[in-house]
Amino acid sequence: MTSARVVGRERELAELEAALADAAAGRPSIAFVAGESGIGKTRLLREFQRRAQEADPAARVICGDSVELGEGELPYAPLVAALRPLARARDPVLESLPPAARDELAALLPGLAPAASEEPVGERDDAAQARLFEALLQLFDELGREQPLVVVIEDIHWADRSTRAFLAFMARALANERVLLVSTYRTDELHRRHPLRPLLAELERDATARRIELQALDREELRELLGDILGAEPGADLVERLWSRSEGNPLFTEELLAASLDGRGGLPPTLRDALMVRIERLGEDTQEVLRVLAAGRRLDHGLLSDASGLDPARLRTALREAVASHIVAADPEGFHTFRHALLREVVHDDLLPGEHSDLHLALARALERRMELQGTSTYLTAGIAHHYFVAGEQKAALSASVNAARAAEHVYAYGEAAALLERALELWERVPEPERLAGCDRVELLKRAAVAHQGHGDYARQEHLLRKALDLLDEQAEPRGSARLLELMARAQWSLNRSADAMASAEHALELVQDGEPGEERARLVSWLAKARMLQGRYRESLDVASEAITEAEAAGDTLAEGRARNARGFSLVGLGRVDDGIAELRRAVELAHNRENVSELGSAYGNLADALNQAGRTREALAVVERGREVVSGFSRPRDWLLVMIAELKWQLGEWDEAEASMPPSERRYVATTTMYVLLQRATFALGRGDHAVARRYLEEIEEFVAESTEPQYLGTWGALRASLSLREGDIDAARAAVDEALDRIEFCSEDANRIVRLSAIGVAIEAAAIERERDLGEDTALAQFRAEAMVSRLRAGAEGDRPVERAWLAMAEAEGTRVD
C-alpha cells in the first residue's frame, strides 16, 4: 500500500540536492524539513539519499532518529544512532582520528578509548561538552574529506537538550567543511512553548540555512500516487473520495486505501482512527507486543521477551504478524520499532491507566535486569528512570533519576542531568527517607542540579537553585559548605554579567572560610577571585588575592587552583610593570595546565602569557608562544579559535597584514559572548587599517550591545579606541571625544590597566590636536581643547612610568601630536 516512487516532491528534492552541491563545494549548510505527521518527511529523505548515492556511490550518509523518551532524557540519542554503525564497522576515518578526539568521542561510543574516570560533582571542566562537539565536527570534517557528508537527524521535535545544543554549535561552527546537516520535525508537535521553537527561530533565519516545508498533495499528485500503488489508472470518483478524506496527506491516503480499496463505506474520519482499525485486526498476542513496544519505543528481542512475558514461540509469531502487516520494522541493529511514530502514538494513547502503569513498570524492571548483566550505560539508566516515573513508582523513580543524572554527567549531557535532578527534587517531598534513596541530602542534590545547569549554560536557574540550597544551610554551622555554594553563585552571576553581585558573593564566601583550615574550597574560591580581579584590571587586588590563593592551593594540593592563581598573579605583575616576575609566574601556570591536561586552562595560560609578552613589547616572542599554544591545544581538540585570533592580532601588530588576515578563523563561523567581541574587534581593526570604514563601523555596531554589558578593559579599551579613531577619520570630533571619554570613564573607574588607558589617552591627544587646528582655522577659542590635551598627556606620562616600552611608545606618539596642539 505504499507508492514505489516519490510523488510531488521534485522541488523539495531539488532544494536538498542544491544544498548537497553547496556542501560538496565547501559551503556547508543546514536544512530543515518540516511538515505535519504523515506528510512524507522520512520518505523524502530516503529518496534524497538514494539519489545522492546513485550520483556518487561513495557519498556518505549517516542517519539517527531522536527518541521520544519523556522530556528528552536520553542524551545524544540521534548522534549515537548515526555513529554506532561507524564504530561497529571500525571505519578507517574513525580509527585514524587523533587520540584526543577519540577520547572525547568515547563518551558517545564506549570502547573507542579507555573509559574516563568520573569527576567529582562541581569540579567538572565546563568546556567538556564543547570539546565533545569539536571532536564530532572534526570527525565530520574527515568523513567529508573525499566526498560530501550528509548527516540526517530525524524528529528533532523530540530531540534531547544536548542534541539541540549540538545543532546550535554546528550552526555557529560550520565554516568550510563538506557537510550537509539535515533535520526533520513535525510542525503539528510544536506547541507555543516547545523548547525547539527558539532554536528554530535562531537557526532557520540564517542565510546558510534552508527550510523545506512539505505541503499536502494536490488532486493530480494524489492521482499519481494512487496509480502507482494500484498499478492502474484510478477512477475519478476514487481520487475525489480519498482526496477529500485525506486532504492530500500521503500516509492517510495509504491507510484509507488499505482499509478499503474503493474508498467507500464507513471509513475512519481521522488518520489515527484509520491506524487503529488496522491494529485491531491483529491477533491478541500481536496487540500485546505492540503495547509493550509502544511503551518502550525501541526494543530488542530480549527486552520484548522479558517485558511481555510471552514464550519464545508466541513472541516470534506475534512479531512476524506485526512486521508482515507493515506496522513494525526491524532495523539492522536488531531493534524493533513502529514503522511510523503515529502508529506508536495511537497504540500508547489507547492504553488503559492500569495497562499503562504495568507496562512501564515491566520495562523498568526488564532494563534493570539488563543492566545487571551488561553494566551501567546512559541508555539503560535513562530508560529505567523514565519508566519508573511514568509508572508512578516514586521511590524507585527518585533513586533512578539520580543514577541516570550521574550517567548523563559522565557524557557531558548536562541539560539532561539537570532535568533528571530537578525531577528528583520534585519527588523529594513525596517519598519517605529521600536521603537514603538519593544517596545525598537535599542541599547536595540542589548543588548538583545547579552545577548541571551551569554546564548547560542556564546560569539564572543555577543561581535560583543555589539560593534555595543556601536557605537550607546554617552558614555559621557549615561555613565551608556555604562558601562552596557562594563561589558557584559568584560564577553564575559573573556569567550573567552581574560582576558587582558576583564579587559580593565571592567576598562573603571568603569571609566564611577566612579563619578556617586550608582546603580545596578556599583555594578555588580565592583563585577565582584573583582571576576576576585581573580581568577587571584591578591588578593590585588581584596580586594580593592570588598570592593567598597559591598558598591555599599548595596546602590543599590543588594544582588546578594553583595554576589559575599563578595565571592571575603573573598577568597582574606584568600589568603593574614587573614584567620578568610576571612572565615567570605565567610560565609556571602553563606548566601546571599541562600537568592537568585541561584544555581550557591550557588555552588561557598560553593566551595570557602571550598577551603579557606583547604588552611588554616582546611581540615576536609572544607570537611564538601563542603558536606553540595552538599546537599543544590542537593535540586535544580542534584549534581553539581564540588562539587563532590572537595569532592574527600579533601578526597585524608586527606589520604582517596579509598573513594576519589569513590566520583568522573562517568568517562564516559564528560565536557567542566574549569570543564574538574578540573576533569582531580584530576584524574591525583590519578594516580600519585597510581604510574600509563602512565595514569597520558595521563590525563595531554588531558588538555594541555586548560591550555595553562588559566590565573588562580588554574589550572596553579596544572598542573605544577603534570607535574614536574611526570617528576622527570621518571628521566627527565630538563623536571621537565621546568614544574616548566613555571608555576611559568605564576603565578608570576601577582599573589599573595602564596599557588600555594609555592607548585611549594617546588617541585622545590626537583628537584634541585636530579640534584645535579646526578651532584656529575658524577663529574659535581653543582653551578647552588645550586643557583636554594636557590632561590626556599627564595621564599618559603617569601610565608610562617604569619598565613599559609599549606605553612609552604611545607617550611618544602623543607628544608628537602635542606639537600640533602647541
Side-chain angles (χ1 to χ4, degrees):
M1 290 303 167
T2 298
S3 172
R5 63 189 179 88
V6 175
V7 174
R9 302 301 187 207
E10 287 304 318
R11 182 186 63 79
E12 292 84 355
L13 284 166
E15 186 80 6
L16 287 170
E17 287 168 345
L20 180 57
D22 281 349
R27 297 188 299 274
S29 63
I30 297 180
F32 295 94
V33 178
E36 66 181 23
S37 306
I39 205 68
K41 300 180 291 297
T42 299
R43 188 68 191 280
L44 174 75
L45 290 184
R46 287 177 182 162
E47 177 66 11
F48 168 60
Q49 178 179 348
R50 185 190 69 78
R51 292 190 184 191
Q53 293 179 325
E54 189 177 82
D56 180 1
R60 281 185 180 267
V61 181
I62 59 175
C63 307
D65 294 347
S66 302
V67 177
E68 185 192 10
L69 186 66
E71 294 298 320
E73 298 157 11
L74 185 58
Y76 311 113
L79 298 175
V80 173
L83 296 177
R84 193 184 289 117
L86 297 178
R88 184 175 291 111
R90 303 196 70 82
D91 190 284
V93 173
L94 197 58
E95 296 289 312
S96 67
L97 288 173
R102 289 166 57 83
D103 288 346
E104 297 298 338
L105 292 174
L108 301 185
L109 303 170
L112 197 62
S117 60
E118 292 193 29
E119 297 172 317
V121 174
E123 305 305 335
R124 65 170 56 90
D125 176 5
D126 290 345
Q129 190 178 69
R131 290 203 307 276
L132 172 61
F133 290 170
E134 290 279 7
L136 282 167
L137 184 55
Q138 185 174 2
L139 171 61
F140 292 167
D141 191 12
E142 292 298 326
L143 288 171
R145 188 75 64 185
E146 300 299 327
Q147 62 281 318
L149 171 71
V150 181
V151 181
V152 176
I153 299 180
E154 291 221 58
D155 298 326
I156 60 171
H157 50 277
W158 291 326
D160 55 277
R161 293 165 177 81
S162 294
T163 297
R164 294 198 299 270
F166 175 72
L167 288 172
F169 166 83
M170 288 290 282
R172 294 193 303 269
L174 284 171
N176 49 24
E177 296 83 359
R178 302 176 69 198
V179 174
L180 168 62
L181 179 60
V182 184
S183 301
T184 69
Y185 65 88
R186 281 164 45 172
T187 51
D188 48 332
E189 285 281 343
L190 298 190
H191 53 78
R192 187 170 58 87
R193 300 185 64 182
H194 195 287
L196 186 63
R197 275 191 177 276
L199 179 63
L200 290 174
E202 174 189 348
L203 300 186
E204 288 187 339
R205 66 170 174 259
D206 190 271
T208 63
R210 288 175 165 84
R211 184 178 189 274
I212 303 167
E213 181 161 6
L214 299 187
Q215 303 296 332
L217 302 178
D218 61 26
R219 282 184 176 82
E220 180 57 28
E221 290 165 343
L222 189 74
R223 186 189 62 76
E224 288 186 47
L225 180 76
L226 293 172
D228 192 81
I229 293 173
L230 297 172
E233 183 72 17
D237 289 347
L238 177 63
V239 173
E240 184 61 30
R241 280 195 299 274
L242 290 180
W243 189 85
S244 63
R245 287 176 181 269
S246 70
E247 297 182 338
N249 182 294
L251 180 63
F252 196 7
T253 300
E254 292 171 2
E255 293 301 326
L256 288 170
L257 198 61
S260 174
L261 285 176
D262 63 3
R264 296 179 184 276
L267 293 179
T270 70
L271 175 55
R272 289 175 181 267
D273 291 334
L275 294 170
M276 201 63 215
V277 165
R278 291 188 55 206
I279 289 164
E280 288 171 347
R281 293 174 179 172
L282 302 173
E284 182 53 40
D285 281 352
T286 305
Q287 290 190 44
E288 180 61 21
V289 168
L290 293 182
R291 293 183 193 108
V292 175
L293 191 57
R297 293 166 177 81
R298 184 174 183 266
L299 301 174
D300 60 29
H301 191 91
L303 283 172
L304 268 175
S305 176
D306 191 352
S308 68
L310 292 174
D311 64 54
R314 290 170 62 191
L315 178 61
R316 288 196 300 271
T317 301
L319 280 172
R320 283 188 175 278
E321 184 180 18
V323 171
S325 302
H326 301 287
I327 290 173
V328 169
D331 65 23
E333 297 179 35
F335 286 89
H336 294 91
T337 58
F338 281 88
R339 185 174 64 85
H340 194 282
L342 278 177
L343 285 161
R344 190 204 73 80
E345 289 169 24
V346 297
V347 175
H348 195 263
D349 291 348
D350 192 54
L351 293 174
L352 297 172
E355 288 179 314
H356 183 270
S357 298
D358 290 347
L359 286 170
H360 282 284
L361 183 58
L363 282 164
R365 290 172 175 166
L367 288 169
E368 283 185 326
R369 289 188 285 270
R370 172 68 60 85
M371 194 163 67
E372 289 175 4
L373 296 173
Q374 295 183 353
T376 302
S377 76
T378 307
Y379 173 81
L380 292 174
T381 55
I384 292 166
H386 168 76
H387 291 300
Y388 271 132
F389 181 71
V390 175
E393 293 288 321
Q394 295 184 343
K395 291 194 294 184
L398 172 57
S399 179
S401 295
V402 174
N403 292 335
R406 185 177 296 108
E409 290 166 341
H410 197 48
V411 296
Y412 322 133
Y414 301 130
E416 287 69 29
L420 287 159
L421 292 167
E422 293 255 23
R423 174 191 291 169
L425 288 166
E426 176 188 337
L427 294 168
W428 191 271
E429 300 286 355
R430 305 181 190 174
V431 300
E433 300 182 305
E435 292 88 352
R436 180 182 61 80
L437 294 169
C440 63
D441 61 23
R442 191 172 188 177
V443 170
E444 179 64 21
L445 196 61
L446 283 162
K447 185 183 84 170
R448 282 188 59 186
V451 171
H453 280 295
Q454 171 193 334
H456 186 54
D458 189 347
Y459 303 111
R461 185 63 181 168
Q462 179 192 5
E463 182 185 15
H464 173 75
L465 292 173
L466 289 169
R467 288 193 185 282
K468 291 182 72 172
L470 282 165
D471 288 343
L472 296 174
L473 274 186
D474 180 348
E475 63 179 35
Q476 299 305 317
E478 299 183 73
R480 284 189 178 276
S482 299
R484 182 68 182 116
L485 295 175
L486 283 164
E487 185 211 339
L488 291 170
M489 183 179 290
R491 291 175 182 270
Q493 291 165 334
W494 185 274
S495 299
L496 292 167
N497 210 31
R498 287 165 38 211
S499 56
D501 291 341
M503 300 311 290
S505 295
E507 286 167 354
H508 180 44
L510 190 56
E511 290 171 3
L512 293 176
V513 295
Q514 194 67 55
D515 299 324
E517 292 294 321
E520 194 175 86
E521 292 91 351
R522 203 159 78 189
R524 299 214 169 177
L525 170 63
V526 181
S527 68
W528 183 84
L529 263 172
K531 207 161 187 181
R533 290 303 192 204
M534 179 269 288
L535 288 171
Q536 291 181 320
R538 298 167 69 167
Y539 297 138
R540 286 186 173 82
E541 285 185 53
S542 176
L543 206 58
D544 292 340
V545 178
S547 298
E548 180 184 350
I550 292 167
T551 302
E552 296 279 356
E554 288 177 335
D558 188 345
T559 56
L560 179 59
E562 182 186 350
R564 288 173 177 165
R566 290 192 184 279
N567 192 327
R569 175 177 165 79
F571 199 88
S572 297
L573 284 168
V574 173
L576 293 170
R578 295 170 57 186
V579 175
D580 291 339
D581 292 342
I583 296 300
E585 282 283 25
L586 285 163
R587 292 193 188 281
R588 178 62 180 144
V590 169
E591 291 175 13
L592 289 168
H594 273 278
N595 292 342
R596 283 283 300 197
E597 295 189 344
N598 184 308
V599 174
S600 59
E601 284 304 306
L602 271 175
S604 173
Y606 273 108
N608 281 352
L609 174 58
D611 197 3
L613 287 166
N614 185 44
Q615 288 197 25
R618 296 155 62 177
T619 304
R620 185 66 66 184
E621 187 180 351
L623 179 59
V625 165
V626 76
E627 286 178 332
R628 171 61 180 159
R630 177 180 179 273
E631 179 184 339
V632 170
V633 172
S634 297
F636 296 91
S637 68
R638 285 166 60 98
R640 311 301 291 181
D641 284 346
W642 189 279
L643 297 180
L644 292 176
V645 180
M646 182 170 278
I647 288 170
E649 178 186 10
L650 297 175
K651 286 183 176 180
W652 184 268
Q653 292 182 15
L654 289 165
E656 299 167 4
W657 285 14
D658 292 340
E659 289 186 31
E661 290 176 317
S663 299
M664 286 288 284
S667 59
E668 297 89 349
R669 192 163 290 164
R670 280 148 289 174
Y671 306 93
V672 294
T674 54
T675 307
T676 299
M677 289 192 282
Y678 189 27
V679 170
L680 294 187
L681 284 172
Q682 198 54 48
R683 293 199 182 282
T685 300
F686 294 167
L688 198 62
R690 299 289 191 189
D692 196 341
H693 296 167
V695 172
R697 184 167 295 283
R698 175 165 58 83
Y699 285 136
L700 293 173
E701 289 173 350
E702 191 172 338
I703 57 171
E704 184 170 2
E705 63 178 286
F706 292 104
V707 178
E709 297 174 353
S710 179
T711 60
E712 296 185 40
Q714 60 179 319
Y715 307 118
L716 298 173
T718 305
W719 192 65
L722 291 171
R723 284 177 65 214
S725 297
L726 179 58
S727 296
L728 180 59
R729 286 197 193 174
E730 294 175 339
D732 190 342
I733 289 174
D734 290 340
R737 277 176 169 165
V740 168
D741 288 348
E742 180 188 349
L744 282 172
D745 285 347
R746 293 180 67 185
I747 293 175
E748 285 188 313
F749 176 70
C750 60
S751 171
E752 296 150 325
D753 193 327
N755 186 274
R756 274 85 187 191
I757 292 171
V758 162
R759 179 185 177 188
L760 283 164
S761 300
I763 294 170
V765 175
I767 293 167
E768 298 313 321
I772 287 171
E773 286 184 337
R774 184 181 67 180
E775 288 161 356
R776 283 178 183 145
D777 289 343
L778 296 173
E780 296 176 352
D781 185 7
T782 63
L784 176 60
Q786 287 179 320
F787 172 78
R788 286 177 57 87
E790 290 167 4
M792 293 285 182
V793 171
S794 297
R795 184 187 280 108
L796 271 153
R797 287 178 178 144
E801 290 178 356
D803 183 17
R804 297 181 180 276
V806 174
E807 285 81 355
R808 289 202 307 273
W810 280 115
L811 175 60
M813 289 286 291
E815 288 172 340
E817 294 287 358
T819 63
R820 296 167 59 204
V821 173
D822 296 337

